[in-house]
Every structure is written in structure tokens, then in C-alpha cells.
């Protein structure tokens, strides 16, 4: 089962409509506590806050992020 959340409701709706997600999470992330794994795909500057939020909400979950920084 794949749950998703995005601050942009249009992005979240499109992901759900495409079948990528089994269900969506509300803004309070209710239901995330049961997660076995959490993957964050957010801008690097947003990651610390959301990683902390995820760790608090789902203390037993494996949490990773897909952020990267690049220099040119």
C-alpha cells in the first residue's frame, strides 16, 4: 500500500488519479504512524523539518529522503 501527501492538492490529486497512490494522507498525516517506510521527495531546505515530523509521527519507520544538491 502506498500513501502520499503533497502540500499541493492538485499534485496529490493527480498522483492519486494516476494510480500511483493507494490513498492520500491528510495534512495532519493521520495514519502515518503505521508506516513501515517513509520516503521524502522534497526540496533539500524543507527536508530537516519534514524528517523530524516523520520521525515523531512514525517512530518505528525506516525514513529516507531523495534530496540532493548539485554544484555547477
Amino acid at each position: 500500500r502506498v500513501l502520499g501527501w503533497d502540500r499541493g492538492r492538485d499534485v496529490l490529486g493527480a498522483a492519486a488519479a494516476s494510480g500511483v497512490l493507494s490513498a492520500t494522507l491528510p495534512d495532519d498525516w493521520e495514519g502515518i504512524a503505521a508506516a513501515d517506510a517513509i520516503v521524502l521527495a522534497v526540496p533539500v531546505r524543507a527536508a530537516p523539518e519534514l524528517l523530524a515530523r516523520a520521525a515523531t509521527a512514525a517512530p518505528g519507520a525506516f525514513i529516507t529522503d531523495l534530496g540532493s544538491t548539485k554544484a555547477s
Side-chain angles (χ1 to χ4, degrees):
R1 192 169 155 199
V2 178
L3 305 178
W5 174 83
D6 193 284
R7 65 182 174 186
R9 304 319 282 174
D10 55 334
V11 172
L12 188 60
S18 73
V20 171
L21 303 176
S22 305
T24 61
L25 288 170
D27 285 338
D28 65 3
W29 289 9
E30 182 180 341
I32 202 169
D36 293 319
I38 299 170
V39 179
L40 294 176
V42 299
V44 172
R45 292 180 189 211
E49 177 186 340
L50 293 175
L51 285 166
R53 182 177 175 191
T56 300
F62 170 80
I63 303 171
T64 190
D65 73 291
L66 302 176
S68 68
T69 56
K70 297 171 182 65
S72 51

